[in-house]
Amino acid sequence: MSALPNGYELAPVMALPSGFATGAGAAPLDLITNRTTPEKRCAKTFGMAGILGTWGVLVNVPCGQWSCVSCGAKKARRYAGVARGGCALATERIRLVTVTMPREDPRESWRLLGPRFGRFAERMAYRLGRRLTYFGTVELQRRGNPHLHLLTRDSGYVAKAALAAACTGSGFGFVDIRQIAAGAGVQYVTKYLHKSAGQEMPKGVRRIRRSRDWFTEPPTVKSTWGEGWQWQSIEGLDHDAVEAEMRAQGVLAVFRYDQRVDVVAND
Ligand SMILES: [Zn+2]
Protein backbone atom coordinates (compact mmCIF):
# COMPACT_ATOMS: atom_id res chain seq x y z
CA MET A 1 0.00 0.00 0.00
CA SER A 2 1.40 3.36 -0.96
CA ALA A 3 0.27 6.94 -0.53
CA LEU A 4 2.34 7.96 -3.51
CA PRO A 5 0.76 8.83 -6.83
CA ASN A 6 1.11 6.49 -9.79
CA GLY A 7 4.39 6.72 -11.56
CA TYR A 8 6.47 7.21 -8.47
CA GLU A 9 8.83 4.59 -7.25
CA LEU A 10 10.63 4.67 -3.97
CA ALA A 11 14.36 4.46 -3.79
CA PRO A 12 15.61 1.39 -1.91
CA VAL A 13 14.98 1.84 1.78
CA MET A 14 18.27 2.53 3.49
CA ALA A 15 19.34 4.42 6.56
CA LEU A 16 19.99 8.04 5.77
CA PRO A 17 23.57 9.25 6.02
CA SER A 18 24.23 11.47 8.99
CA GLY A 19 24.95 14.46 6.77
CA PHE A 20 21.53 14.16 5.19
CA ALA A 21 19.62 16.46 7.47
CA THR A 22 15.94 16.89 6.72
CA GLY A 23 13.54 19.53 7.88
CA ALA A 24 10.83 18.88 10.45
CA GLY A 25 8.37 16.37 9.10
CA ALA A 26 10.55 15.31 6.18
CA ALA A 27 10.77 11.58 5.84
CA PRO A 28 12.73 9.19 3.64
CA LEU A 29 9.52 9.02 1.62
CA ASP A 30 10.58 12.31 0.12
CA LEU A 31 13.32 10.44 -1.67
CA ILE A 32 11.45 9.56 -4.78
CA THR A 33 12.96 8.15 -7.88
CA ASN A 34 11.98 7.38 -11.47
CA ARG A 35 9.09 9.69 -12.14
CA THR A 36 7.59 8.19 -15.27
CA THR A 37 6.04 11.29 -16.78
CA PRO A 38 9.06 13.23 -18.06
CA GLU A 39 6.95 15.20 -20.54
CA LYS A 40 5.18 16.92 -17.68
CA ARG A 41 8.42 17.96 -16.11
CA CYS A 42 9.63 21.50 -16.02
CA ALA A 43 11.74 22.05 -19.11
CA LYS A 44 13.97 24.45 -17.21
CA THR A 45 14.68 22.09 -14.32
CA PHE A 46 18.00 22.79 -12.75
CA GLY A 47 19.83 19.65 -11.65
CA MET A 48 22.46 19.17 -8.99
CA ALA A 49 24.45 16.11 -8.03
CA GLY A 50 25.77 15.84 -4.50
CA ILE A 51 28.22 13.33 -3.14
CA LEU A 52 28.93 12.63 0.51
CA GLY A 53 31.28 9.69 0.96
CA THR A 54 29.47 6.62 -0.27
CA TRP A 55 26.18 8.43 -0.77
CA GLY A 56 25.01 10.42 -3.72
CA VAL A 57 21.91 12.42 -4.47
CA LEU A 58 20.53 13.82 -7.69
CA VAL A 59 18.33 16.79 -7.02
CA ASN A 60 15.92 18.29 -9.52
CA VAL A 61 14.92 21.84 -8.86
CA PRO A 62 12.04 23.03 -11.07
CA CYS A 63 12.30 26.64 -12.23
CA GLY A 64 9.16 27.67 -10.33
CA GLN A 65 8.21 30.38 -12.84
CA TRP A 66 4.67 31.30 -13.83
CA SER A 67 5.77 31.49 -17.45
CA CYS A 68 6.79 27.81 -17.41
CA VAL A 69 3.88 25.58 -18.49
CA SER A 70 4.70 22.89 -15.94
CA CYS A 71 5.63 25.08 -12.96
CA GLY A 72 2.95 27.67 -13.81
CA ALA A 73 0.27 24.97 -13.66
CA LYS A 74 1.63 23.83 -10.31
CA LYS A 75 1.55 27.38 -8.97
CA ALA A 76 -1.98 27.88 -10.30
CA ARG A 77 -3.13 24.77 -8.42
CA ARG A 78 -1.44 25.97 -5.28
CA TYR A 79 -3.00 29.43 -5.38
CA ALA A 80 -6.39 27.98 -6.30
CA GLY A 81 -6.11 26.20 -2.95
CA VAL A 82 -5.31 29.51 -1.27
CA ALA A 83 -8.34 31.13 -2.94
CA ARG A 84 -10.58 28.26 -1.86
CA GLY A 85 -9.17 28.18 1.66
CA GLY A 86 -9.89 31.88 2.16
CA CYS A 87 -13.41 31.63 0.77
CA ALA A 88 -14.12 28.78 3.17
CA LEU A 89 -13.39 31.14 6.08
CA ALA A 90 -15.98 33.69 4.97
CA THR A 91 -18.78 34.53 7.39
CA GLU A 92 -20.40 37.09 5.06
CA ARG A 93 -21.20 36.95 1.38
CA ILE A 94 -18.13 36.95 -0.85
CA ARG A 95 -17.76 39.76 -3.34
CA LEU A 96 -15.98 39.75 -6.63
CA VAL A 97 -14.32 42.99 -7.64
CA THR A 98 -13.03 43.56 -11.17
CA VAL A 99 -10.63 46.44 -11.53
CA THR A 100 -9.64 47.68 -14.97
CA MET A 101 -7.07 50.11 -16.25
CA PRO A 102 -7.85 53.43 -17.89
CA ARG A 103 -7.27 53.81 -21.63
CA GLU A 104 -3.52 54.14 -21.87
CA ASP A 105 -0.38 52.48 -23.16
CA PRO A 106 -0.29 48.90 -21.75
CA ARG A 107 3.30 49.52 -20.63
CA GLU A 108 2.01 52.30 -18.40
CA SER A 109 -0.71 50.02 -17.04
CA TRP A 110 1.81 47.36 -16.06
CA ARG A 111 4.24 49.84 -14.60
CA LEU A 112 1.58 51.52 -12.48
CA LEU A 113 -0.29 48.38 -11.42
CA GLY A 114 1.56 47.96 -8.11
CA PRO A 115 1.51 51.62 -6.96
CA ARG A 116 -2.14 52.00 -7.98
CA PHE A 117 -3.12 48.90 -6.09
CA GLY A 118 -1.30 50.12 -3.00
CA ARG A 119 -3.22 53.40 -3.10
CA PHE A 120 -6.49 51.57 -3.77
CA ALA A 121 -6.02 49.29 -0.73
CA GLU A 122 -5.22 52.35 1.43
CA ARG A 123 -8.32 54.21 0.29
CA MET A 124 -10.56 51.19 0.84
CA ALA A 125 -9.15 50.68 4.33
CA TYR A 126 -9.88 54.32 5.11
CA ARG A 127 -13.44 54.10 3.81
CA LEU A 128 -14.24 50.77 5.45
CA GLY A 129 -12.51 51.56 8.72
CA ARG A 130 -10.58 48.29 8.40
CA ARG A 131 -8.29 46.58 5.96
CA LEU A 132 -9.83 44.79 3.03
CA THR A 133 -9.55 41.00 3.19
CA TYR A 134 -8.89 39.92 -0.38
CA PHE A 135 -7.33 37.49 -2.78
CA GLY A 136 -6.74 38.58 -6.32
CA THR A 137 -5.15 37.58 -9.56
CA VAL A 138 -3.94 39.54 -12.55
CA GLU A 139 -5.36 38.80 -15.96
CA LEU A 140 -3.51 39.65 -19.14
CA GLN A 141 -6.08 41.16 -21.49
CA ARG A 142 -6.01 40.58 -25.22
CA ARG A 143 -5.22 44.22 -25.88
CA GLY A 144 -2.20 43.88 -23.61
CA ASN A 145 -3.46 45.54 -20.44
CA PRO A 146 -3.83 43.88 -17.07
CA HIS A 147 -7.12 43.40 -15.23
CA LEU A 148 -7.41 42.61 -11.55
CA HIS A 149 -9.93 40.10 -10.26
CA LEU A 150 -10.32 40.26 -6.50
CA LEU A 151 -12.32 38.15 -4.11
CA THR A 152 -13.14 39.97 -0.90
CA ARG A 153 -14.68 38.55 2.21
CA ASP A 154 -15.95 39.86 5.53
CA SER A 155 -15.19 43.45 4.66
CA GLY A 156 -18.65 44.79 5.36
CA TYR A 157 -20.90 46.60 2.92
CA VAL A 158 -18.99 48.22 0.08
CA ALA A 159 -21.04 50.83 -1.75
CA LYS A 160 -20.47 50.83 -5.51
CA ALA A 161 -19.95 54.58 -5.53
CA ALA A 162 -17.31 54.38 -2.78
CA LEU A 163 -15.48 51.63 -4.61
CA ALA A 164 -15.59 53.54 -7.88
CA ALA A 165 -14.23 56.64 -6.13
CA ALA A 166 -11.39 54.64 -4.57
CA CYS A 167 -10.55 53.16 -7.97
CA THR A 168 -10.50 56.34 -9.99
CA GLY A 169 -8.78 58.13 -7.12
CA SER A 170 -5.98 55.53 -7.30
CA GLY A 171 -5.59 55.82 -11.06
CA PHE A 172 -7.59 52.76 -12.09
CA GLY A 173 -10.38 52.77 -14.66
CA PHE A 174 -13.76 51.08 -14.53
CA VAL A 175 -14.62 48.87 -11.56
CA ASP A 176 -17.32 46.30 -11.00
CA ILE A 177 -18.45 44.60 -7.79
CA ARG A 178 -20.92 41.79 -7.32
CA GLN A 179 -21.95 39.39 -4.62
CA ILE A 180 -21.34 35.78 -5.49
CA ALA A 181 -21.60 32.33 -4.04
CA ALA A 182 -18.27 31.11 -2.69
CA GLY A 183 -17.84 28.27 -5.19
CA ALA A 184 -18.59 30.44 -8.20
CA GLY A 185 -16.11 33.07 -7.07
CA VAL A 186 -13.30 30.59 -6.65
CA GLN A 187 -14.01 29.17 -10.09
CA TYR A 188 -13.99 32.62 -11.61
CA VAL A 189 -10.70 33.67 -10.07
CA THR A 190 -8.92 30.34 -10.51
CA LYS A 191 -9.84 30.45 -14.19
CA TYR A 192 -7.44 33.38 -14.46
CA LEU A 193 -4.84 31.59 -12.36
CA HIS A 194 -4.84 28.71 -14.82
CA LYS A 195 -4.85 31.12 -17.73
CA SER A 196 -1.80 32.79 -16.21
CA ALA A 197 0.20 29.54 -16.19
CA GLY A 198 2.68 29.57 -19.05
CA GLN A 199 1.88 33.19 -19.96
CA GLU A 200 4.61 35.76 -20.22
CA MET A 201 3.92 38.93 -18.25
CA PRO A 202 6.25 41.88 -17.76
CA LYS A 203 9.17 41.06 -15.49
CA GLY A 204 8.61 41.56 -11.79
CA VAL A 205 4.80 41.67 -11.96
CA ARG A 206 3.11 40.13 -8.95
CA ARG A 207 0.38 37.94 -10.34
CA ILE A 208 -1.19 37.27 -6.97
CA ARG A 209 -2.42 39.96 -4.63
CA ARG A 210 -3.69 38.90 -1.27
CA SER A 211 -4.11 40.33 2.17
CA ARG A 212 -2.21 38.58 4.92
CA ASP A 213 -5.38 37.54 6.66
CA TRP A 214 -6.87 35.85 3.60
CA PHE A 215 -5.59 32.35 4.31
CA THR A 216 -2.57 30.78 5.97
CA GLU A 217 -1.16 27.84 4.09
CA PRO A 218 0.21 24.88 6.00
CA PRO A 219 4.01 25.07 6.13
CA THR A 220 5.88 23.23 3.41
CA VAL A 221 8.61 20.76 4.15
CA LYS A 222 12.05 21.96 3.21
CA SER A 223 15.19 19.91 3.24
CA THR A 224 18.52 21.23 4.29
CA TRP A 225 21.82 19.69 3.44
CA GLY A 226 24.51 19.08 6.00
CA GLU A 227 28.20 19.88 5.81
CA GLY A 228 30.53 17.81 3.71
CA TRP A 229 28.46 17.48 0.56
CA GLN A 230 30.09 18.15 -2.75
CA TRP A 231 27.74 19.65 -5.26
CA GLN A 232 28.00 19.88 -8.96
CA SER A 233 25.60 21.21 -11.56
CA ILE A 234 24.18 18.54 -13.85
CA GLU A 235 22.04 20.86 -15.89
CA GLY A 236 21.32 19.40 -19.29
CA LEU A 237 22.99 16.09 -18.47
CA ASP A 238 21.32 12.71 -18.62
CA HIS A 239 20.65 11.70 -15.02
CA ASP A 240 21.06 7.99 -15.70
CA ALA A 241 24.52 8.70 -17.09
CA VAL A 242 25.36 10.91 -14.09
CA GLU A 243 24.22 8.18 -11.72
CA ALA A 244 26.31 5.59 -13.59
CA GLU A 245 29.32 7.89 -13.36
CA MET A 246 28.78 8.43 -9.64
CA ARG A 247 28.63 4.67 -9.08
CA ALA A 248 31.75 4.23 -11.19
CA GLN A 249 33.46 6.66 -8.81
CA GLY A 250 32.59 4.46 -5.85
CA VAL A 251 29.27 5.91 -4.74
CA LEU A 252 27.28 2.93 -3.47
CA ALA A 253 23.78 4.35 -3.48
CA VAL A 254 22.24 7.22 -5.37
CA PHE A 255 18.93 8.75 -4.43
CA ARG A 256 16.98 10.84 -6.86
CA TYR A 257 15.24 13.67 -5.19
CA ASP A 258 12.62 15.84 -6.78
CA GLN A 259 12.36 19.01 -4.84
CA ARG A 260 8.63 19.22 -5.02
CA VAL A 261 8.42 22.24 -2.76
CA ASP A 262 6.96 25.13 -4.71
CA VAL A 263 8.89 28.32 -4.82
CA VAL A 264 7.06 30.62 -2.46
CA ALA A 265 8.73 33.89 -3.38
CA ASN A 266 7.67 36.02 -6.37
CA ASP A 267 3.91 35.70 -6.18
ZN1 LIG B 1 9.54 25.27 -14.70
Side-chain angles (χ1 to χ4, degrees), residues 153-254:
R153 70 153 202 264
D154 305 336
S155 299
Y157 176 71
V158 184
K160 258 188 185 173
L163 184 74
C167 269
T168 49
S170 320
F172 284 124
F174 172 79
V175 65
D176 180 60
I177 182 166
R178 60 188 65 183
Q179 282 199 357
I180 40 147
V186 170
Q187 264 185 16
Y188 189 80
V189 163
T190 56
K191 181 175 82 183
Y192 295 111
L193 283 175
H194 292 297
K195 196 178 155 190
S196 188
Q199 269 185 346
E200 292 283 352
M201 285 191 197
K203 225 179 162 184
V205 165
R206 281 172 55 201
R207 302 189 186 206
I208 306 292
R209 301 261 163 191
R210 59 169 160 166
S211 58
R212 271 181 203 180
D213 59 351
W214 176 259
F215 181 66
T216 307
E217 289 171 274
T220 47
V221 173
K222 284 199 174 84
S223 296
T224 53
W225 304 89
E227 293 290 310
W229 284 83
Q230 288 183 6
W231 293 98
Q232 197 181 340
S233 168
I234 51 167
E235 204 173 356
L237 298 179
D238 178 66
H239 287 196
D240 288 335
V242 173
E243 182 177 340
E245 178 60 27
M246 286 163 91
R247 288 181 189 278
Q249 287 179 23
V251 175
L252 291 181
V254 179

Side-chain angles (χ1 to χ4, degrees), residues 42 63-64 68 71:
C42 166
C63 75
C68 164
C71 296

Side-chain angles (χ1 to χ4, degrees), residues 35-49:
R35 198 196 282 246
T36 55
T37 50
E39 70 281 359
K40 282 187 182 162
R41 267 214 175 136
C42 166
K44 296 174 241 171
T45 291
F46 180 74
M48 297 287 284

Side-chain angles (χ1 to χ4, degrees), residues 7-146:
Y8 285 98
E9 206 178 288
L10 277 182
V13 176
M14 297 168 127
L16 290 172
S18 58
F20 193 100
T22 52
L29 278 183
D30 277 330
L31 299 167
I32 290 168
T33 182
N34 299 338
R35 198 196 282 246
T36 55
T37 50
E39 70 281 359
K40 282 187 182 162
R41 267 214 175 136
C42 166
K44 296 174 241 171
T45 291
F46 180 74
M48 297 287 284
I51 299 176
L52 172 74
T54 55
W55 295 86
V57 183
L58 300 182
V59 187
N60 292 311
V61 186
C63 75
Q65 302 295 309
W66 274 109
S67 55
C68 164
V69 174
S70 163
C71 296
K74 213 184 280 179
K75 284 169 92 80
R77 280 198 299 277
R78 180 187 149 214
Y79 285 112
V82 173
R84 259 194 307 278
C87 283
L89 298 174
T91 56
E92 296 171 15
R93 290 292 295 272
I94 290 166
R95 291 179 175 83
L96 179 67
V97 179
T98 310
V99 179
T100 67
M101 297 290 161
R103 287 199 168 273
E104 64 187 351
D105 187 325
R107 277 170 302 187
E108 277 296 282
S109 290
W110 286 104
R111 190 175 68 79
L112 294 171
L113 181 61
R116 279 173 180 165
F117 189 77
R119 282 200 295 272
F120 168 73
E122 286 297 315
R123 279 169 191 252
M124 288 308 292
Y126 180 74
R127 278 172 191 276
L128 295 168
R130 56 177 157 169
R131 301 225 149 249
L132 205 58
T133 300
Y134 63 90
F135 175 92
T137 177
V138 174
E139 181 204 358
L140 170 63
Q141 290 264 286
R142 206 172 297 163
R143 63 192 172 110
N145 291 66

